[in-house]
Amino acid sequence: MKFLQHFDIEVIKYREGAHELEFQVTDRFFEEFEDNDLVNKGNLTVRVNLDKGVNLIEMDFKIQGSVHLTCDRSLEEFDYPLDIEESIIFKYGSEEKEIDENIFMITRDTPSINVAQLIYEFILLAIPAKKIHPDYRNELDEEESEAEGQYVYFDSESEKEDESKNDEPESIDPRWEKLKKLK
């Protein structure tokens, strides 16, 4: 856990205005999180633009780099590039709590904010649900386009109804028959 202290932002020492911070996310960062099955390796740069105001602190995160993933199809490992932009607002209040997924309340005497968990969550949310090696992405596109425009489900009753309609001669309303005779 001591490693994650490198991701503390000592907000109490910053004056009002804009400040820029930079963090490096490496393999060691991902080792610190338990139950991490998605990402074990990565090399990312995190730039945090901190704008401290009277009643709130706004942080804009820009995360760039790549993470090492395992393909769901071939089990080959590959580097997946990431380019993430997120914003978080810390409002001053009477207690520390999460108001919204992007808004947190902190007290005025909060000395520092650890952004490691936020960075970790941003990275995990940017990883696709289906991790496909770049060599196999084109094959996946071809398979998806083959099924396009085709029926997925087959209903034998509706086909029987369609056949029975085609076998019967169409009966015409007698009123239309009389109108045709007028021509």
Side-chain angles (χ1 to χ4, degrees), residues 75-140:
L75 298 179
E76 291 180 44
E77 294 184 349
F78 66 100
D79 287 328
Y80 184 78
L82 291 178
D83 190 8
I84 307 165
E85 291 185 25
E86 291 287 339
S87 293
I88 298 290
I89 296 174
F90 294 93
K91 288 186 173 185
Y92 291 115
S94 59
E95 61 182 341
E96 291 188 11
K97 67 178 182 178
E98 183 176 348
I99 297 173
D100 190 336
E101 63 185 27
N102 294 330
I103 302 172
F104 294 88
M105 185 183 292
I106 60 173
T107 60
R108 288 208 178 265
D109 60 343
T110 301
S112 64
I113 299 171
N114 188 296
V115 293
Q117 184 67 36
L118 292 171
I119 293 169
Y120 178 69
E121 290 173 6
F122 295 152
I123 292 169
L124 290 186
L125 290 173
I127 295 173
K130 196 172 192 178
K131 301 174 292 294
I132 303 296
H133 192 283
D135 293 344
Y136 302 110
R137 285 196 186 125
N138 292 339
E139 292 176 17
L140 182 67

Side-chain angles (χ1 to χ4, degrees), residues 51-80:
D51 189 12
K52 187 173 182 181
V54 176
N55 294 321
L56 60 89
I57 298 170
E58 187 174 351
M59 292 187 194
D60 295 322
F61 292 82
K62 176 93 171 131
I63 305 171
Q64 291 180 313
S66 64
V67 290
H68 204 68
L69 301 177
T70 303
C71 177
D72 290 337
R73 177 182 273 175
S74 66
L75 298 179
E76 291 180 44
E77 294 184 349
F78 66 100
D79 287 328
Y80 184 78

Side-chain angles (χ1 to χ4, degrees), residues 8-22:
D8 282 347
I9 298 176
E10 296 179 22
V11 292
I12 205 160
K13 76 175 188 179
Y14 290 107
R15 293 188 174 155
E16 289 181 22
H19 308 277
E20 190 171 317
L21 304 155
E22 188 171 302

